[in-house]
Amino acid sequence: MSEQLAIELEGIDKRFGAVQANKDINLKVKKGSIHGIVGENGAGKSTLMSILYGFYHADGGEIRIDGKTVTIASSQAAIALGIGMVHQHFMLVENFTVLENVILGAEGGARLSKGIGRARAELKRLAADYDLKVDPDAITGDLPVGLQQRVEILKALFRGADILILDEPTGVLTPPEADHLFRILRVLRDEGKTVLLITHKLREIMAVTDEVSVMRRGEMVATRETSKTSMGELAELMVGRRVLLDVEKTPAQPGAPFLSVEGLNVRDARGVDVVKDVSFEVRAGEIVGIAGVSGNGQSELLEAIAGIRPARSGVVTIDGTRIDLAAARRDPAEIRSYGLAHVPEDRHRMGLVTRFHEYENAILGYHRDPACGRGAFLDLDAIRATARAGIEKYDIRPPDCALKTANFSGGNQQKIVLAREIERDPAVLLVGQPTRGVDIGAIEFIHKRLVALRDAGKAVLLVSVELDEVRALADRVLVMFDGRVVGERAPETAESELGLLMAGATQEAAE
Amino acid sequence: MTAGQMPRWADYILMPAINVAAAFFVSGLVVLAIGENPIDAVRILVWGAFGWNEGIGFTLFYATNFIFTGLAVAVAFHASLFNIGGEGQAYIGGLGVAFACLALDRFVPWWVTLPFAVAGAAAFGAAWAYIPAVLQAKRGSHVVITTIMFNFIAASLMVYLLVNVMAKEGSMQPETRTFEDGGRLPLLDTILPGVDFGSAPANLSFVLALIACVFTWVLIWRTKLGYEIRTFGANQTAAVYAGISPVRITVITMLISGAMAGMMAVNEIMGSQHRLLIEFVSGYGFVGIAVALMGRSHPLGILFAALLFGMLYQGGAELAFEMPAITRDMIVVIQALVILFAGALEHMFRPALIKLFGVLSAPATRPA
Ligand SMILES: Nc1ncnc2c1ncn2[C@@H]1O[C@H](COP(=O)(O)OP(=O)(O)OP(=O)(O)O)[C@@H](O)[C@H]1O
Ligand SMILES: [Mg+2]
């Protein structure tokens, strides 16, 4: 590998009000390498990448690209310097075709047809060179997230990117999709491109990166050659203490059923049956995990139980109260009042109002509680006190409940939702992707909280695409495929067997 | 890119000020083009609105109308609903005021009539917003379309009522009889000692408008209903997740919005005209949209924006009188420019301003 540097950062500073997001950052990234960046939630990773991509201006410091000192005033400037970025929340026009999305903003002249012809040829070449196959005429919104992400990568390469930044690209991917992404990244590296990869999954760091840098509280604390470090060391560098990578729990002591679902059928807006005749129970004092490749009805299952999504038929019993989910007057607020809490899978779309202050989100869904104020009025002092308690307990950073929620880092936003739902001490907790985008220190804490809730005799229904997480936390595992529960297994069951079930192999074949 | 970084005061005060300045600058060019002196024009305009007592009285009177219609638009905005039916809701609100006044004015003093008139205005305005609200909530018919259509229906209905049903007996005018003292609000200068607004109709409704501002602020930022309205407006999926019924919130918000618009009629009908007549709303409902945009849907901002538009109305009339080359139509052009810059082009200067703040704050945060 050549020792040329693609990126050199020196003394980068960035402050948001009272928060020093980046403090005197130095970083050297070798040309033609995959460089990982890890760090706790709010450590300043996304901020640093945004500076590199021209979204934010550094307050001070120097950026050198290919040895030349540059100022990156805008993302156009970044693109001109050969820097491309794949955003965590995709920036694609959903009802455009793949081709249209790729050329958006780089149409090349007033006559669209000429640009399109050129783009089509170029797209073909990129697809062949980098194993980036996507149908150029598919409607982007119809593609699974893994392919949408490929469109983002194509977009960057189409603009001539030599440096590719990926901010938590695997958060939304299934393991096979993630593997494919890594294959692509390796090809890109071998072609001489430089890749900057942010992720919370240390396994991925170990698998694909050449070097890895660790950030903590706005500072760059270490850079290691990946082959000369370990997950344990990285975890310790990130958090500043030893981290338990495994969940500690005693055997479950299941009691009476707290949540029971009978004959649930859900049809989505397109008229497709997404949940088919699902029945199961979760007892007090146990965690039931639902394993499955995302998009097999898990999200819809949670939303239907919570009363958010209409069901065609189905009855749910929560702590003794029967609710007909097919009734026209389903009321999520009412279901909540029977002791159900719900951590939705997608915090941005559903779990938070990003425009609100943190303390306003700390009561979302519970705002009618007398604890939030008597009668028609909000008691802001009481609400802020609740919010501060959550911030403290879940170590949400920065510890400022008046900050706009959008200004918290991704993992801290997730913690806001978790604090709100878990700390109400619900009888039944529905939790979807509890640790998506959350750092390993926080994962440890969240897992402990979920186990503690179980040990306090509550029922937890866990949906996660992370098979490891399901196996570590759950006392029983239900596997969902194509809207059905296709099997129940003990969490100790071999990963290969669960994997087969998740892939739709019939029950007998898996046994 | 998200909202970018700008101090709040810049967002709420500097931004609108720059927009108004830009509008005045372009207006100045127009005045110059027709051969008048723009500096003189501004002087006459401002003096006409604030320089003498009667002018102030008129400015406050117009501002009262704009506060109500501005608040109406703003309340709906907070729920992401675009109520542009303020015009019709205010018009129908006039019916409520007139019913109360016609029924009571001969028997009781004004302060007994007032609560009925206010309630009538609010109820009739709300009722006129109710059908579009339900259509939006249950059928998905867009309120922008339905409220516009309801403006036309309101206009026809009022003509019918005023010509065929409510007209004074033996009169050809499309208007009711004039109210007696029990149906007339006291003028501001009769309540405030030592103030004389001359013939200006500024009346007690201005105080009512200020109360409406406080009410709106409390509603939106201090009540559970306001919280639900804002949640629904910012993220509908999250609202459903939180157990907030979209149907209920849409209807309630539109009712409050319609009630606010309806109350504008108290100022015009009970405060000034003292009879119900056709077309008394004359565009105040539409200008309310610009007022709400410019006031960033915040009651305090709306108060200032309403005063600005009050000034343009009153000062503009003065200007047309003093400078014959500047006709009434020219005044409308100037008002339109303010609406254009403050409303439609609201974000034009924003990126530049954000950049400016970025440059200004950079050295300050890096001492080393
Ligand atoms: N626009 C902003 N305004 C104010 N504070 C901000 C803004 N953007 C980021 N911050 C703060 O800067 C800090 C660093 O945030 P950043 O998003 O870079 O963290 P991160 O390392 O990417 O975390 P995560 O792993 O959770 O995504 C956080 O404390 C965050 O709250
Ligand atoms: Mg981040």
Side-chain angles (χ1 to χ4, degrees), chain A residues 312-334:
Chain A
R312 287 220 301 145
S313 65
V315 174
V316 63
T317 310
I318 294 162
D319 199 6
T321 312
R322 271 174 72 87
I323 302 141
D324 181 2
L325 291 177
R329 292 217 161 269
R330 257 171 322 103
D331 178 5
E334 182 196 336

Side-chain angles (χ1 to χ4, degrees), chain A residues 13 15-16 55-56 59-61 308 331-333 336 342 344 348-353 355-356 360 363-365 367-369 372-373 375-378 380 420-421, chain B residues 1-2 5 8 78 80 218 220-228 230-245 248 355 361-363 365-366:
Chain A
D13 275 311
R15 175 181 279 282
F16 295 108
F55 262 7
Y56 292 140
D59 300 337
I308 295 165
D331 178 5
R336 217 178 260 276
H342 175 200
H348 270 125
R349 200 173 62 85
M350 189 173 274
L352 291 170
V353 180
R355 215 196 273 173
F356 276 7
E360 290 176 301
I363 60 166
L364 187 70
H367 54 277
R368 293 212 202 96
D369 277 11
C372 295
F377 292 92
L378 292 171
L380 290 188
R420 177 182 74 213
E421 299 299 320
Chain B
M1 182 75 248
T2 48
Q5 285 95 47
R8 266 166 68 103
H78 280 288
S80 265
V218 172
I220 296 295
W221 280 285
R222 286 293 180 274
T223 68
K224 295 179 178 177
L225 179 62
Y227 178 86
E228 297 193 342
R230 285 184 296 127
T231 304
F232 179 74
N235 182 343
Q236 294 202 9
T237 324
V240 173
Y241 161 80
I244 297 166
S245 152
R248 183 176 151 268
K355 231 175 222 164
S361 62
T365 49
R366 182 160 165 76

Side-chain angles (χ1 to χ4, degrees), chain A residues 187-435:
Chain A
V187 177
L188 287 172
R189 172 192 58 194
D190 296 343
E191 299 282 318
K193 311 252 176 207
T194 308
V195 178
L196 263 174
L197 173 71
I198 298 180
T199 176
H200 286 294
K201 299 175 189 166
L202 294 181
R203 225 164 355 111
E204 300 176 351
I205 291 287
M206 302 310 287
V208 288
T209 64
D210 301 307
E211 283 191 311
V212 51
S213 297
V214 183
M215 289 185 75
R216 177 161 14 122
R217 304 203 174 210
E219 291 179 89
M220 194 61 86
V221 293
T223 296
R224 295 275 187 276
E225 253 176 72
T226 310
S227 57
K228 295 193 179 134
T229 184
S230 65
M231 299 215 307
E233 187 197 14
L234 290 177
E236 208 173 320
L237 280 169
M238 272 166 68
V239 186
R241 63 178 166 85
R242 289 193 62 80
V243 184
L244 269 180
L245 294 171
D246 295 314
V247 180
E248 274 181 344
K249 67 184 197 350
T250 53
Q253 317 260 312
F258 259 15
L259 170 72
S260 90
V261 176
E262 290 157 64
L264 182 64
N265 281 287
V266 179
R267 183 169 285 179
D268 72 3
R270 291 167 303 166
V272 179
D273 288 312
V274 282
V275 176
K276 299 171 190 164
D277 205 24
V278 167
S279 303
F280 62 89
E281 267 181 9
V282 185
R283 296 173 168 274
E286 76 169 347
I287 300 178
V288 170
I290 296 197
V293 177
S294 65
N296 275 287
Q298 304 97 312
S299 322
E300 290 84 357
L301 174 71
L302 289 191
E303 288 175 16
I305 297 174
I308 295 165
R309 181 185 279 274
R312 287 220 301 145
S313 65
V315 174
V316 63
T317 310
I318 294 162
D319 199 6
T321 312
R322 271 174 72 87
I323 302 141
D324 181 2
L325 291 177
R329 292 217 161 269
R330 257 171 322 103
D331 178 5
E334 182 196 336
I335 295 180
R336 217 178 260 276
S337 72
Y338 298 135
L340 179 119
H342 175 200
V343 177
E345 287 189 290
D346 186 339
R347 60 176 172 255
H348 270 125
R349 200 173 62 85
M350 189 173 274
L352 291 170
V353 180
T354 48
R355 215 196 273 173
F356 276 7
H357 297 290
E358 193 274 344
Y359 65 82
E360 290 176 301
N361 273 309
I363 60 166
L364 187 70
Y366 300 95
H367 54 277
R368 293 212 202 96
D369 277 11
C372 295
R374 260 182 294 141
F377 292 92
L378 292 171
D379 179 350
L380 290 188
D381 289 333
I383 293 168
R384 288 198 195 101
T386 313
R388 279 194 209 102
I391 285 177
E392 172 141 356
K393 189 153 186 186
Y394 285 74
D395 190 22
I396 295 167
R397 291 182 216 165
D400 175 6
C401 69
L403 195 67
K404 285 264 147 61
T405 308
N407 292 344
F408 282 89
S409 75
N412 281 299
Q413 292 178 356
Q414 177 76 352
K415 289 197 252 175
I416 295 170
V417 180
L418 286 162
R420 177 182 74 213
E421 299 299 320
I422 296 180
E423 291 313 306
R424 302 285 150 168
D425 211 18
V428 176
L429 177 70
L430 308 181
V431 46
Q433 319 298 352
T435 53

Side-chain angles (χ1 to χ4, degrees), chain B residues 64-134:
Chain B
T64 306
N65 285 340
F66 294 134
I67 291 174
F68 282 119
T69 54
L71 288 176
V73 176
V75 168
F77 261 167
H78 280 288
S80 265
L81 293 165
F82 202 10
N83 176 17
I84 48 180
E87 194 78 13
Q89 289 143 16
Y91 206 172
I92 298 293
L95 267 183
V97 179
F99 285 147
C101 291
L102 290 171
L104 298 173
D105 65 337
R106 290 177 173 151
F107 313 106
V108 295
W110 64 267
W111 48 268
V112 177
T113 312
L114 179 62
F116 291 97
V118 171
F124 276 70
W128 206 245
Y130 178 74
I131 301 171
V134 170

